């Protein structure tokens, strides 16, 4: 079992090697410049690596990029093995990152909240307090009321 620092170093190396190889070494048109490697995670025994990626484009581009990554898996694993110099090269698994979809959902929710805040601000613009301006008792007021 490797320590976490070694797994993190290997994950960083895999992310860099895969990104460089996709940019310069793989000649697959499905993997053009619209594939971005966002994160890499390696298991504790350094046997398996999960590479997260995003694709700029529509669903068709995402599907073709996934197929292109699957077909280039062997070439990318060889490049990782050469760069890492480890006894065993981890197997690569490519997973589409859900980060852009999550960010879009959060942005939509924030827009709804902003609209709701604007409505509340608009409704309360001319409102006044229900009671007195200062509803709190001050020290000495009870004594003044008892004296009268």
């Amino acid at each position: 079992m490797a320590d976490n620092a070694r797994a993190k170093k290997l994950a960083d190396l895999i992310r860099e090697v895969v990104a460089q190889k996709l940019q310069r070494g793989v000649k697959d048109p499905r993997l053009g410049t619209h594939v971005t490697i966002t994160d890499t995670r390696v298991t504790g025994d350094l046997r398996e690596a999960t590479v997260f990626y995003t694709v700029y484009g529509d669903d068709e581009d995402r599907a073709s990029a996934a197929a292109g990554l699957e077909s280039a898996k062997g070439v990318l694993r060889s490049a990782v093995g050469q760069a890492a110099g480890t006894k065993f090269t981890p197997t690569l698994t490519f997973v589409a990152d859900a980060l852009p979809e999550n960010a879009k959902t959060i942005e939509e929710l924030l827009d709804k909240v902003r609209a709701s805040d604007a409505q509340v601000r608009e409704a309360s613009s001319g409102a006044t307090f229900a009671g007195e301006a200062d509803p709190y008792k001050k020290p000495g007021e009870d004594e003044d009321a008892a004296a009268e």
Side-chain angles (χ1 to χ4, degrees):
M1 193 74 150
D3 59 357
N4 287 337
R6 187 169 179 201
K8 174 110 175 80
K9 278 184 179 179
L10 184 61
D12 290 342
L13 177 73
I14 291 171
R15 184 177 62 240
E16 289 175 16
V17 168
V18 169
Q20 288 176 357
K21 193 70 173 170
L22 285 176
Q23 188 177 20
R24 294 188 201 116
V26 178
K27 303 283 191 245
D28 194 343
R30 298 175 289 185
L31 299 175
T33 58
H34 55 275
V35 176
T36 305
I37 304 300
T38 56
D39 193 19
T40 306
R41 296 186 186 146
V42 179
T43 58
D45 60 356
L46 307 178
R47 296 283 182 161
E48 297 176 9
T50 305
V51 180
F52 295 93
Y53 68 94
T54 58
V55 178
Y56 181 72
D58 56 1
D59 290 336
E60 183 180 322
D61 292 335
R62 288 186 199 111
S64 67
L69 285 170
E70 280 299 314
S71 70
K73 189 184 284 190
V75 172
L76 295 172
R77 185 173 180 216
S78 297
V80 167
Q82 289 174 353
T86 57
K87 184 176 183 179
F88 181 82
T89 303
T91 58
L92 302 177
T93 305
F94 292 97
V95 176
D97 200 353
L99 186 66
E101 289 83 16
N102 290 344
K104 184 178 177 185
T105 303
I106 290 172
E107 199 60 40
E108 289 171 357
L109 291 173
L110 287 173
D111 288 341
K112 287 181 184 178
V113 169
R114 286 185 194 110
S116 173
D117 284 350
Q119 287 177 349
V120 168
R121 222 177 292 116
E122 218 175 277
S124 67
S125 64
T128 59
F129 292 106
E132 300 173 9
D134 188 10
Y136 299 105
K137 292 185 179 182
K138 308 232 180 333
E141 285 183 358
D142 290 337
E143 297 166 3
D144 293 340
E148 294 177 3

